Amino acid sequence: MGEHVRERRSHQALKIGVAGCGRMGAPMLRALRDAGFDARGLDVRAPAEFGDLADLITNDAGAFSDRLTTLISVVRDVPQTEDVLWGAQNVVGKAQELDTVIVSSTLSPRFIRSAQERLPPNIALIDAPMSGAQVAAENRSLTFMLGGSAEVLDKIQPLFDAMGATFFRMGATGAGMQAKVLNNLLAASHTAMTRLVLNWADDAGLAERDLLDLINASSGQNWLASGFDEIEFARDGLADDNSIGILVKDVKSALDAAPKTADLSLPHALITALEHLKPRQK
C-alpha cells in the first residue's frame, strides 16, 4: 500500500466533531463529510432543525464525545466556548480519546493562551479563526489563520484543505487568533467609516454607486467599499445575531489582548460607531 494511501486512511479514521452548527459550522460539517471524514455535529438546537444534516447532528454532548479525537469549535464567543470545552457540554471531560481541539471562533488571543494552559497535556490546542463568511464556508474557500504546533498543524492540514482554500500559519498558539482580531479591527474601521461616508454622501445628494466606484478607483479604496454589493452585512444595522454584532465582539477581543501601553480611544470610538449603525436601504 502506498504511503499516500496509508496517510489518507489514517486521516479519515479520525472522528471529527464540529461544535456549533450555525451559518459557518453547518457548511464546514458538510464539507468534511463530502471529503470522506467521519464528522458529526453538536448544537444546542434540536437535530430536526438541520434539514438533511439532522442525522449527523446531536444536542447530546455525551453521544457526540464518544470516540471523538478532534474537536472543531465554531460557537459564537468565549462563554459558549467555555460551555463546549468545560461547562454545560464539557466535551474535554467526556471525550476520552480527544487529542486535538481546534478553535475556529474569533475570540480573544488571551483566552486562547489561557485555554491551552487549562487543557490536559495530551490535548493540543490549535487556534484557527477563519475569514470569508457563510458563502466561503459553503464554497469550501475559507481562509484560515493558524496558530499552534507545526507538527499538529501538519497532521490536521487535510481537515483545513476540505473546508478552505487559503491558510496562513502565524506562529505559536494564540498567533492565529491575534492575527485575526487585528485584521478584523481594520475591517471594522472600514465598515464604520464607509457607512459614515455614504450617509454624508446621501445628505449631499451624491449617488451611492457613483461614489463607491470613485472610492474603488481612488485613495479611499477599502475592503467594504470595494465589495459593498457582495458583503452580506454591508447594509445591516447592529443586531446581536448578525455580522455587525460579531464585528463589535471582535473589536472587543482585540482590545482584550491590546498592549498594556496602547491608546485605546480609537477602538472604543469604533465600537460606538458600529453600535449606532442603522440599516441602509438599497
Side-chain angles (χ1 to χ4, degrees):
M1 183 185 296
E3 189 65 31
H4 176 73
V5 174
R6 281 197 300 269
E7 181 181 2
R8 179 174 174 79
R9 289 188 178 176
S10 173
H11 287 310
Q12 308 267 24
L14 299 174
K15 184 178 179 184
I16 315 301
V18 178
C21 296
R23 301 169 67 203
M24 302 299 289
M28 291 166 70
L29 173 59
R30 192 186 303 277
L32 290 166
R33 295 288 301 189
D34 288 350
F37 290 101
D38 181 8
R40 299 288 188 273
L42 175 69
D43 201 277
V44 295
R45 293 172 292 168
E49 296 184 30
F50 293 94
D52 64 334
L53 290 176
D55 290 343
L56 301 174
I57 297 174
T58 181
N59 53 16
D60 181 341
F64 173 80
S65 300
D66 182 43
R67 297 186 299 107
L68 182 70
T69 62
T70 306
L71 171 67
I72 304 174
S73 179
V74 204
V75 295
R76 177 184 171 88
D77 52 24
V78 167
Q80 290 187 9
T81 305
E82 287 271 4
D83 274 349
V84 167
L85 297 180
W86 297 288
Q89 284 81 44
N90 189 25
V91 173
V92 171
K94 293 173 180 174
Q96 298 303 305
E97 299 178 44
L98 183 66
D99 60 29
T100 307
V101 172
I102 302 168
V103 177
S104 285
S105 313
T106 300
L107 307 174
S108 166
R110 190 167 64 88
F111 169 78
I112 291 297
R113 291 190 290 268
S114 69
Q116 176 67 89
E117 295 173 357
R118 293 163 62 189
L119 287 170
N122 61 304
I123 299 178
L125 178 64
I126 297 295
D127 47 304
M130 56 205 166
S131 179
Q134 183 177 4
V135 64
E138 292 170 346
N139 294 336
R140 282 75 157 159
S141 60
L142 289 166
T143 295
F144 286 94
M145 287 137 274
L146 304 169
S149 158
E151 180 182 359
V152 176
L153 284 170
D154 286 344
K155 183 184 79 168
I156 61 176
Q157 183 61 43
L159 303 181
F160 297 122
D161 290 337
M163 300 180 290
T166 309
F167 317 98
F168 294 96
R169 294 193 182 187
M170 303 306 298
T173 300
M177 202 66 70
Q178 185 70 65
K180 176 65 190 297
V181 298
L182 291 175
N183 175 79
N184 282 19
L185 188 58
L186 280 178
S189 68
H190 299 162
T191 299
M193 286 305 299
T194 300
R195 292 285 293 274
L196 174 67
V197 164
L198 289 175
N199 288 342
W200 287 16
D202 287 345
D203 188 69
L206 297 179
E208 177 183 281
R209 175 42 51 196
D210 290 345
L211 182 60
L212 286 170
D213 289 344
L214 167 65
I215 292 170
N216 194 40
S218 304
S219 58
Q221 190 275 334
N222 67 77
W223 166 77
L224 188 85
S226 297
F228 199 79
D229 293 329
E230 289 77 37
I231 294 170
E232 61 186 46
F233 64 85
R235 298 180 182 276
D236 287 352
L238 176 72
D240 287 340
D241 61 349
N242 73 5
S243 293
I244 298 297
I246 291 172
L247 270 182
V248 171
K249 170 188 70 72
D250 292 352
V251 174
K252 291 178 179 178
S253 294
L255 283 168
D256 189 55
K260 291 181 179 179
T261 58
D263 180 354
L264 305 181
S265 56
L266 188 56
H268 280 297
L270 179 56
I271 290 172
T272 300
L274 291 170
E275 288 177 337
H276 286 83
L277 284 180
K278 304 298 183 185
R280 183 175 179 80
Q281 300 299 316
K282 291 187 177 182

